[in-house]
Amino acid sequence: QVQLVESGGGLVQAGGSLRLSCAASGSDSSINAMGWYRQAPGKQRELVATIHSAGSTNYADSVKGRFTISRDNAKNTGYLQMNSLKPEDTAVYYCTAGSGIFMGRYRPTYWGQGTQVTVSS
């Protein structure tokens, strides 16, 4: 079992930055990747970024060039650095642990509780 706890959400003005953190505990040998999802009110959940244990990263087109996913293995913590934020980035962001290298193949197994990100115009 893996437990995930996100932090770092909040309110920011358009053009600003936020860094989300995801602290992981526990273990599951089937897990080889981490992904961040987001869900805005009235919209479908969207996978925005993934990072594989081998280090490869992938991004949704909507955040490419603005968001950076990373991890610190020593701290068992993952991060999502969000720059040049836009009002349309407003959503609840969820950290997940799962498997798969590419965005289309990523399958989440464990979910965090979510953290709200609000971008004002």
Side-chain angles (χ1 to χ4, degrees), residues 21-106:
S21 299
C22 176
S25 60
S27 65
D28 184 333
S29 60
S30 71
I31 301 302
N32 63 13
M34 185 185 79
W36 287 91
Y37 285 81
R38 68 184 181 186
Q39 187 164 24
K43 294 189 177 181
Q44 284 192 329
R45 188 177 294 164
E46 176 187 20
L47 177 61
V48 298
T50 61
I51 182 166
H52 190 261
S53 57
S56 61
T57 58
N58 292 276
Y59 299 92
D61 288 343
S62 58
V63 306
K64 201 170 293 183
R66 299 187 299 121
F67 290 12
T68 302
I69 189 171
S70 63
R71 69 177 191 271
D72 183 333
N73 291 331
K75 296 182 178 179
N76 284 333
T77 300
Y79 304 97
L80 185 68
Q81 177 68 44
M82 305 184 294
N83 298 329
S84 301
L85 283 162
K86 305 175 182 180
E88 51 264 43
D89 294 318
T90 295
V92 177
Y93 284 72
Y94 298 90
C95 171
T96 67
S99 60
I101 295 179
F102 303 110
M103 297 283 279
R105 295 290 185 94
Y106 179 71

